[in-house]
Amino acid sequence: GSAMAAVQGVEIDPEGTFKYILVRLQRPGGGEQRDIVRGTKAAEFHNHIFEKVYPEMEKLGYECKCLGGGKIEHNSKDKKIRVFGLSTGYGKADHSVTVDILKEEYTDYEITWSDDKK
């Protein structure tokens, strides 16, 4: 498999409501690309998440750009994830793409999305 496939597709907090971003990784000069989801309560703003992801990915030799953001509500007890909202700075991520990525990781969860702000 490729090195890019080894990058964790999803890194989000195990519980609570928090900001998330959708990030596209790409080999410099094009070719292989992959979208990943990152979200954490530790981030007050969406760019805080990106500022952490960017150098990590750069070290691995990928260019990355933020495709947008939103919020994730993660209820691990009921195995539910809700994706909603948007990022003021980056705009709204395509939540349907985010849901597809989340489903690969959280296979037994009920995962939904909406354009609701709250």
Side-chain angles (χ1 to χ4, degrees):
S2 74
M4 198 177 269
V7 174
Q8 194 85 25
V10 178
E11 278 179 21
I12 59 170
D13 286 1
E15 190 65 47
T17 302
F18 44 84
K19 292 182 165 66
Y20 94 87
I21 57 172
L22 188 60
V23 177
R24 174 155 294 163
L25 304 183
Q26 198 157 7
R27 282 261 178 243
E32 213 185 350
Q33 60 178 40
R34 174 155 187 230
D35 296 344
I36 60 172
V37 174
R38 295 289 184 269
T40 176
K41 265 186 285 214
E44 194 184 345
F45 299 105
H46 287 91
N47 62 307
H48 292 169
I49 308 172
F50 190 66
E51 282 161 14
K52 189 176 170 295
V53 175
Y54 191 85
E56 287 174 12
M57 295 306 145
E58 212 173 27
K59 256 189 246 153
L60 297 171
Y62 306 124
E63 291 169 350
C64 58
K65 74 169 192 232
C66 185
L67 301 178
K71 283 186 168 176
I72 285 176
E73 187 183 291
H74 189 173
N75 182 334
S76 53
K77 187 168 64 74
D78 296 342
K79 296 199 169 182
K80 283 185 179 172
I81 294 178
R82 187 168 77 97
V83 184
F84 64 102
L86 53 86
S87 159
T88 318
Y90 296 120
K92 187 176 79 71
D94 185 339
H95 296 327
S96 63
V97 171
T98 302
V99 166
D100 288 342
I101 298 169
L102 288 167
K103 280 179 176 168
E104 290 171 21
E105 187 79 17
Y106 296 95
T107 49
D108 55 347
Y109 268 60
E110 182 193 320
I111 306 176
T112 57
W113 69 271
S114 77
D115 286 329
D116 297 347
K117 296 269 173 19
K118 290 186 157 91

